[in-house]
């Protein structure tokens, strides 16, 4: 069953300007260590951060909270599987909220897709409830 759906688009130039203006203060407030390592290695650094920023907003919509109600930016972190496929790791308030929308006997699976085509970056998140023990 679908528990949540969210998307977000952001202008990469907005993130570029924020990186120029606030630098590490912005990066360390919003992005996890894994996201920083990934994006700082990329030639398209601002686009990489923009996709991850969009992923956080998309996930906050899928959770139904927005980035409020105890859900903070770094509670929602993009990780990449060995294949390159992205997914999200939730902690803190975001994880607590995910657990609260997951019915008993179900576990939550989060699917994420990211895309960028300058100046746009986009993310879509689907949260699915799988009966415990079901194949993924
Ligand atoms: C929910 C949130 C992520 C929306 O993102 P946004 O970039 O402001 O706006 P978008 O155009 O992408 O999305 C707006 C739509 O999100 C949807 N939305 C709003 N609140 C939502 C919620 N709690 N759950 C799911 N969807 C929500 C609405 O459909 C809204 O459009 P509508 O008002 O016309 O119906 C945003 O309100 C938020 O929480 N932002 C983070 C907080 C923030 O910016 N703090 C400032 C300090 S950096």
């Amino acid at each position: 069953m679908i528990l949540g759906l969210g998307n977000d688009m952001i202008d990469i130039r907005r993130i570029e300007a924020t990186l120029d203006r606030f630098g590490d203060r912005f990066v360390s407030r919003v992005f996890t260590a894994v996201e920083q390592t990934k994006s700082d290695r990329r030639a398209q650094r601002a686009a990489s951060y923009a996709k991850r920023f969009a992923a956080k907003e998309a996930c906050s919509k899928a959770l139904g909270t927005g980035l409020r109600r105890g859900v903070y930016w770094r509670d929602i972190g993009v990780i990449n599987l060995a294949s390159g496929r992205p997914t999200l790791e939730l902690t803190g308030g975001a994880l607590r909220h995910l657990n609260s929308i997951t019915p008993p006997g179900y576990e939550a699976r989060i699917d994420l897709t990211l895309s960028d085509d300058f100046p746009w970056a986009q993310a879509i998140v689907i949260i699915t409830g799988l009966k415990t023990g079901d194949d993924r």
Side-chain angles (χ1 to χ4, degrees):
M1 94 179 67
I2 291 181
L3 301 175
L5 171 67
N7 83 326
D8 193 64
M9 287 175 72
I10 184 158
D11 189 327
I12 295 165
R13 293 169 296 191
R14 242 185 84 199
I15 295 293
E16 223 159 25
T18 308
L19 287 168
D20 287 347
R21 180 148 182 227
F22 297 105
D24 282 353
R25 248 173 70 208
F26 169 61
V27 166
S28 58
R29 189 163 81 87
V30 171
F31 298 97
T32 64
V34 170
E35 291 173 323
Q36 292 178 38
T37 304
K38 191 91 189 174
S39 295
D40 287 343
R41 274 207 311 252
R42 293 267 171 91
Q44 305 295 325
R45 180 171 179 258
S48 177
Y49 274 123
K51 284 184 283 188
R52 284 157 179 77
F53 191 91
K56 294 167 195 288
E57 294 214 312
C59 182
S60 79
K61 292 179 191 175
L63 290 170
T65 54
L67 270 307
R68 44 179 87 88
R69 293 173 54 195
V71 176
Y72 299 101
W73 295 104
R74 272 181 302 159
D75 291 351
I76 301 171
V78 175
I79 54 173
N80 292 83
L81 305 179
S83 63
R85 180 178 145 192
T87 185
L88 287 169
E89 196 166 60
L90 303 196
T91 55
L95 180 59
R96 277 194 294 280
H97 198 80
L98 178 68
N99 290 336
S100 80
I101 63 171
T102 307
Y106 286 78
E107 56 189 295
R109 172 192 160 123
I110 303 180
D111 285 297
L112 164 68
T113 178
L114 300 176
S115 181
D116 66 286
D117 188 2
F118 190 87
W120 298 109
Q122 185 188 44
I124 297 172
V125 170
I126 299 180
I127 304 175
T128 312
L130 298 173
K131 279 207 171 118
T132 310
D134 271 6
D135 280 348
R136 301 198 147 213

